[in-house]
Every structure is written in structure tokens, then in C-alpha cells.
């Protein structure tokens, strides 16, 4: 019988060839991975320079926090963000945070009196970061104002596109301080908020004051109008507010002021229940305010915004 034939007459040489082939395959794979990695890095660099990435928004947010602290501008920056966003109508998907508050006639609405000062304050930051839209800038200013005053670090998600003068909101969509609970619900329900969110957002009155040349009324809501806390609810519930000839209410020291809209939160049984929760639990207020304020600043932009950045 003859010896059976084999595929490799010289086993040592065969093993060497197989090892060489495996080394070639591994080397080819490493080359492919290097090419893919280089490609991804290039795309990342290109994307960074062509779009305002998270780093740019983080820097702008930090600049706005510094501005709010330096100029004691937290209240007016919050008001600018609030009034740009608070015109939203859910049924028609009009209004909302589109930066149109800078255009006439919306800029001239009585409710927006004095906000040209806020727009002038943030204009140098807009010039420094020209790729950021006015809509994003105004919303970011509100987030920065809350943080600068010691409030929560509210997630800010960029991506709002500026509207044109044709997109300005009609007059009358913002809350009227002389009205009561029915008006509050009409305004906030139109935007898609519930009673708890109405009361939480009203807590923004812990900041700032009423100005005669803007609202027609005068006086702060709290003793520390540059500090974000739950003192608004405590004062609202615990003080004996006396109605004044101009329709506002003064506390026992005659230094603090509440409007009819504020007093409605105390008198309405559902609103009052939430006021009591926030007066007793500041942590709960901060959490609910953060969620509600973020929702306000994102009205009309659901699913269209980027990853969040935070004010430190």
C-alpha cells in the first residue's frame, strides 16, 4: 500500500505560512481601524467648527451667569426669557421662544416695557457667539439668571431657530398682574401647563421687583430680590396683605408688594395647596420650578433641541 498524500508536504513551512497569513490579516484590520478612526476625528473637528457645539453654549452660559452677577441682572434676564417664551399657543403652535420679542410690535407691548435694557445687556454676548440664535440666547439668559441668584442649575438644550418679524406674537398673551385665578389658568393652560406648574412658575417672583415705569406698580415681592428661594410663598401665605388704592397689596411693613395675580394663588384653594407645599419644602419647589421653567423655554421645540448644558 502507498503512503497517503497530504495537503502540506512540509508541515513546518505550512505553519509558518499560516502564521504569516494571520499577521497580514491582523495588520490589515489595524489599518482599517486607523482609517475609520482618523475619518471620525476629522468629521468631529469639521462639525465643531461648522456648528455651535456644546462647548460654545457652555462658555456662553458661563458668560451670562457672570453678567447676571456683575450687573445684578438676574431678575431682568429671567423676565426676558419668560416673556419671549410665554406667548406660546399650543393649539396653533405660534409664539413661544423664537427671539421675536426684539421685533416691533411685540417689543412695544405694554407687558414688555423695559426689556430693551435686557436685550442691550446680552448683545455683547451675542456678538461674541454669533452662531447662537437670539432665541437660544434669551432662553439661556433666563437659565443663567436663576443660577446666578442661587437657584437650581436648569438644563439648557440649544437649537431654537430665530423667528422673523412675521412671527411676532399678538398682544395679550402674557399674564396680566391685575387679573385673578381664572385669567391665570386661561394663559397657562393655553401653553400646556397644569395648576402645579402655574404655582411653581409663579415662584419666579422671588426675584426682582415691580417698577412704576414698567408695570405701573412699585415694590419688591420679597426682602431679598436677588436671591432665589421659597420666601415668596412664605410671605404670600403668612403676611396680612392690605389692598391699596392702586389695586396692589402691601405687607405689614408697607415695603413689600403683591399684585392681584399673586393674591389669587393664596385665595384659590387648589393653587393655595401647592403654595403651602413650596412654603414648607424649598427642595420640592426648586425641583418643580426647574422642570417647569425648562418646559417653558422649550415650548414649540419638542424633539428639535440638542443635548443639555448646565450653568455651573
Amino acid at each position: 500500500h502507498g503512503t497517503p498524500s497530504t495537503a502540506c508536504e512540509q508541515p513546518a513551512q505550512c505553519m509558518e505560512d499560516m502564521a504569516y497569513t494571520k499577521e497580514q490579516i491582523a495588520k490589515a484590520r489595524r489599518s482599517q481601524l486607523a482609517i475609520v478612526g482618523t475619518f471620525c476625528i476629522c468629521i468631529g473637528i469639521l462639525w465643531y467648527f461648522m456648528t455651535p457645539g456644546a462647548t460654545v453654549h457652555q462658555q456662553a452660559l458661563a458668560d451670562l451667569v457672570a453678567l447676571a452677577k456683575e450687573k445684578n441682572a438676574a431678575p431682568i434676564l429671567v423676565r426676558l426669557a419668560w416673556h419671549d417664551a410665554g406667548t406660546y399657543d399650543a393649539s396653533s403652535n405660534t409664539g413661544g421662544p423664537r427671539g421675536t420679542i426684539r421685533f416691533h410690535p411685540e417689543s412695544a407691548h405694554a407687558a414688555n416695557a423695559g426689556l430693551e435694557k435686557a436685550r442691550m445687556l446680552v448683545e455683547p454676548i451675542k456678538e461674541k457667539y454669533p452662531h447662537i440664535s437670539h432665541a437660544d440666547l434669551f432662553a439661556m439668559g433666563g437659565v443663567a439668571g436663576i443660577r446666578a441668584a442661587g437657584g437650581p442649575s436648569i438644563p439648557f438644550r440649544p437649537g431654537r431657530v430665530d423667528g422673523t418679524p412675521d412671527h411676532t406674537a399678538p398682544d395679550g398673551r402674557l399674564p396680566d398682574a391685575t387679573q385673578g385665578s381664572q385669567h391665570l389658568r386661561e394663559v397657562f393652560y393655553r401653553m400646556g401647563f397644569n395648576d402645579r406648574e402655574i404655582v411653581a412658575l409663579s415662584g419666579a417672583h422671588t426675584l426682582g421687583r415691580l417698577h412704576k415705569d414698567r408695570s405701573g406698580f412699585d415694590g419688591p415681592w420679597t426682602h431679598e430680590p436677588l436671591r432665589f428661594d421659597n420666601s415668596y410663598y412664605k410671605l404670600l401665605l403668612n403676611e396680612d396683605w392690605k389692598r391699596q388704592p392702586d389695586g396692589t397689596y402691601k405687607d405689614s411693613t408697607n415695603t413689600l408688594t403683591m399684585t392681584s395675580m399673586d393674591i389669587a394663588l393664596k385665595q384659590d384653594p387648589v393653587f393655595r395647596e401647592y403654595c403651602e407645599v413650596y412654603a414648607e419644602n424649598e427642595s420640592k419647589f426648586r425641583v418643580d420650578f426647574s422642570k417647569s421653567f425648562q418646559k417653558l423655554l422649550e415650548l414649540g421645540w419638542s424633539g428639535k433641541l440638542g443635548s443639555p448644558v448646565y450653568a455651573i
Side-chain angles (χ1 to χ4, degrees):
H1 301 285
T3 303
S5 61
T6 62
C8 183
E9 297 295 338
Q10 297 179 319
Q13 181 63 43
C14 183
M15 292 298 294
E16 183 179 336
D17 291 343
M18 289 176 64
Y20 181 68
T21 302
K22 288 180 179 180
E23 183 179 347
Q24 284 183 315
I25 294 172
K27 185 176 181 180
R29 286 178 177 172
R30 286 195 296 270
S31 298
Q32 289 173 343
L33 288 173
I35 293 171
V36 171
T38 302
F39 177 77
C40 290
I41 290 171
C42 291
I43 290 296
I45 293 172
L46 184 64
W47 177 259
Y48 176 83
F49 283 104
M50 291 183 65
T51 63
T55 302
V56 174
H57 287 93
Q58 190 73 62
Q59 292 170 347
L61 192 52
D63 287 352
L64 284 163
V65 171
L67 173 69
K69 291 179 177 180
E70 178 188 352
K71 302 293 185 181
N72 290 333
I76 199 168
L77 291 181
V78 172
R79 181 169 172 246
L80 176 63
W82 216 117
H83 284 219
D84 191 46
T87 59
Y88 185 67
D89 178 74
S91 63
S92 62
N93 194 32
T94 59
R98 298 174 183 270
T100 56
I101 197 171
R102 71 193 195 279
F103 295 132
H104 187 84
E106 188 174 343
S107 60
H109 292 169
N112 294 328
L115 285 177
E116 69 279 357
K117 296 178 181 178
R119 296 195 299 273
M120 289 173 62
L121 270 177
V122 301
E123 191 56 35
I125 294 179
K126 171 62 177 170
E127 293 174 359
K128 183 177 179 181
Y129 306 99
H131 291 298
I132 296 178
S133 67
H134 281 94
D136 269 356
L137 183 68
F138 296 161
M140 203 184 312
V143 168
I146 295 296
R147 189 59 175 163
S153 183
I154 299 169
F156 172 78
R157 300 198 300 163
R160 296 160 192 76
V161 178
D162 283 337
T164 68
D166 292 335
H167 294 121
T168 54
D171 200 3
R173 286 192 177 181
L174 292 169
D176 181 348
T178 66
Q179 300 296 311
S181 57
Q182 180 178 347
H183 169 74
L184 267 175
R185 287 190 169 95
E186 288 174 355
V187 169
F188 281 88
Y189 286 3
R190 185 201 70 226
M191 291 187 275
F193 290 107
N194 58 35
D195 286 353
R196 175 184 55 78
E197 293 167 325
I198 292 173
V199 178
L201 285 172
S202 296
H205 283 174
T206 193
L207 297 177
R209 58 177 293 137
L210 295 155
H211 294 265
K212 197 73 176 178
D213 61 341
R214 300 175 190 176
S215 63
F217 307 126
D218 187 61
W221 286 278
T222 68
H223 295 291
E224 296 185 79
L226 293 176
R227 179 181 176 182
F228 186 94
D229 58 21
N230 65 338
S231 60
Y232 168 77
Y233 301 105
K234 293 180 178 180
L235 291 163
L236 178 63
L237 294 175
N238 298 327
E239 276 287 346
D240 183 20
W241 297 96
K242 300 295 185 182
R243 186 175 173 85
Q244 305 299 303
D246 66 355
T248 62
Y249 295 76
K250 289 291 186 179
D251 71 326
S252 56
T253 66
N254 204 40
T255 57
L256 303 180
T257 306
M258 294 282 175
T259 67
S260 295
M261 189 169 61
D262 297 306
I263 297 300
L265 299 177
K266 180 177 183 176
Q267 295 176 339
D268 183 278
V270 178
F271 287 158
R272 184 186 178 100
E273 185 177 334
Y274 291 115
C275 286
E276 291 173 349
V277 170
Y278 297 147
E280 294 175 6
N281 190 333
E282 182 173 339
S283 295
K284 176 64 174 171
F285 164 54
R286 293 169 73 92
V287 169
D288 286 358
F289 179 86
S290 180
K291 292 178 180 177
S292 300
F293 197 65
Q294 181 183 0
K295 177 178 175 178
L296 172 70
L297 300 183
E298 295 182 359
L299 292 173
W301 295 104
S302 177
K304 300 176 183 178
L305 301 178
S307 299
V309 295
Y310 298 86
I312 300 172

